[in-house]
């Protein structure tokens, strides 16, 4: 009998997050003949998004829709997940390696008595099983792992697996899963406070312009924001910059911050400490701008510019603006 892969679709501001389409992409790579793919969507008033998922070339969409699910709460979401797991009975559950996935996946794995592999950046068919690749030691090495028994749970790092396209006339069966919030909730979400300006979601951005202690002040970050605006990029930061109060901790990239894998990462005034590299070294192209030619960031950079960021970044901004306006970009 075929296996059932269940992907957990994340939403933000009434839209599917790109990682939702990437986890389905991962399930498509994993599924063989006779296997089925289902997507779970949890939230409030998510019917249009469930229809979008139904157009992803999958078999089923399981929907838990309730006002209490409007914001992520580990207790309500786990309760909704258990109802979905009972209905779908998956052999594998795929999450994004996001704040939600990192929190919910281990609970689901424990509930299913399943193994879990986290922070996967690639997957391949291997005989009658699957091989999952994940980075180790801040991306200095990779390991390949496989499960010896099911069911299993996997979290995928954003921006690594191919996202599926959605088509308007979805064929997947959409099932409403009855959900009642647990009576004895220990926590409730009172309010969601947005700190980052969040024009572009940092963890899903294709381009990140990141600043370190070399940016020297909160006003200095305006220089980076201008470059980010031109490139439609997200702004990130080192912990050095966050600790110095130049920007909010929600921008921190690294071991104790966010992990990003953009196509282009532009590091400005960042020395390249191992804890920072842990969050960005898997970026496809890394550009480093630093006054110090010996800065360790140059060891991981594809392109290095030795110079003062306050001279280099405005020049880059102007050149990108011109090139993109001419359609050369
Ligand atoms: P610095 O190391 O001070 O580097 C500033 C750089 O700017 C220098 O290389 C300098 O040459 C350059 N510079 C100065 N002026 C200019 C200019 N005008 N133009 C161009 N370049 C200039 N760090 C993280 O980033 N993320 C984490 O998640 C993280 N987690 C940590 C967890 C633990 C347990 C610990 C112990 C540390 C962690 N750190 C983390 C901190 C990390 O070790 C470094 O201290 C931090 O990354 C340094 O930030 P920085 O590169 O901005 O600052």
């Amino acid at each position: 009998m075929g296996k059932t892969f269940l992907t957990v679709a994340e939403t933000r501001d009434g839209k599917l997050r790109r990682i939702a389409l990437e986890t389905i992409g991962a399930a498509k790579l994993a599924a063989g003949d006779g296997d089925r793919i289902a997507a779970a969507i949890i939230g409030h008033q998510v019917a249009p998004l469930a229809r979008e998922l139904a157009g992803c070339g999958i078999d089923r969409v399981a929907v838990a829709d309730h006002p209490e699910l409007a914001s992520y709460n580990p207790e309500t979401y786990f309760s909704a997940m258990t109802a979905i797991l009972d209905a779908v009975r998956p052999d594998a559950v795929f999450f994004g390696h996001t704040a939600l996935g990192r929190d919910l996946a281990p609970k689901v794995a424990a509930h299913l008595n399943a193994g879990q592999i986290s922070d996967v950046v690639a997957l391949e068919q291997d005989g009658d099983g699957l091989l999952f690749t994940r980075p180790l030691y801040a991306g200095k090495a990779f390991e390949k792992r496989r499960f010896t028994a099911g069911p299993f749970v996997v979290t995928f790092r954003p921006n690594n697996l191919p996202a599926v396209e959605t088509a308007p006339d979805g064929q997947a069966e959409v099932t409403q899963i009855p959900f009642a919030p647990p009576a004895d909730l220990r926590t409730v979400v009172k309010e969601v406070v947005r700190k980052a300006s969040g024009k572009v979601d940092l963890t899903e951005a294709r381009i990140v312009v990141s600043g370190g202690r070399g940016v020297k002040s909160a006003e200095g970050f305006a220089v980076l924001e201008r470059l980010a605006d031109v490139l439609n990029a997200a702004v990130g930061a080192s912990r050095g910059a966050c600790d110095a109060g130049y920007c909010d901790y929600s921008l921190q990239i690294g071991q104790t911050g966010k992990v990003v894998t953009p196509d282009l990462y532009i590091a400005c005034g960042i020395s390249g400490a191992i804890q920072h590299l842990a969050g960005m070294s898997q970026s496809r192209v890394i550009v480093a701008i630093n006054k110090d030619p010996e800065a360790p960031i140059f060891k991981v950079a594809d392109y290095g510019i030795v110079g003062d960021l306050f001279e280099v970044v405005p020049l880059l901004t102007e050149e990108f603006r011109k090139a993109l306006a001419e359609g050369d970009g």
Side-chain angles (χ1 to χ4, degrees), residues 36 70 102 113 142 165 174 178 183 201 233 235 264 287 294 305:
R36 285 169 59 80
R102 282 193 260 186
N113 196 20
F142 290 87
E165 302 282 334
V174 178
D201 185 328
V235 174
L264 175 61
V287 175
E294 303 298 325
I305 303 173

Side-chain angles (χ1 to χ4, degrees), residues 102-120:
R102 282 193 260 186
D103 196 53
L104 195 54
K107 293 185 180 67
V108 166
H111 176 75
L112 294 174
N113 196 20
Q116 178 172 331
I117 301 180
S118 301
D119 201 12
V120 167

Side-chain angles (χ1 to χ4, degrees), residues 153-212:
V153 173
V154 182
T155 67
F156 290 92
R157 190 182 281 200
N159 276 345
N160 281 274
L161 276 297
V164 289
E165 302 282 334
T166 60
D169 51 349
Q171 299 297 313
E173 168 200 355
V174 178
T175 323
Q176 298 294 330
I177 307 293
F179 167 80
D184 53 348
L185 278 181
R186 284 168 293 183
T187 54
V188 288
V189 179
K190 301 289 272 186
E191 188 189 359
V192 177
V193 181
R194 285 276 165 84
K195 284 219 177 150
S197 69
K199 276 183 235 160
V200 183
D201 185 328
L202 186 53
T203 53
E204 296 192 345
R206 312 317 296 252
I207 305 178
V208 174
V209 178
S210 203

Side-chain angles (χ1 to χ4, degrees), residues 10 22-23 29 33 72 114-115 126 141 146 205 220 264 275 291 293:
E10 280 186 50
E22 291 174 1
T23 48
L29 289 176
D33 286 346
Y72 179 68
D126 177 47
R146 59 182 301 163
L264 175 61
Q275 296 90 353
K291 277 203 303 203

Side-chain angles (χ1 to χ4, degrees), residues 211-214 216 237-241 252-257 268-273 275-276 289-292 295 307-310:
R213 214 165 353 223
K216 297 195 176 69
S238 70
R239 176 156 143 190
Q252 184 183 320
I253 290 168
Q255 184 183 312
T256 44
C268 310
I270 294 178
S271 60
Q275 296 90 353
H276 187 74
I289 303 163
N290 199 302
K291 277 203 303 203
D292 174 7
D308 185 333
L309 73 93
F310 293 104

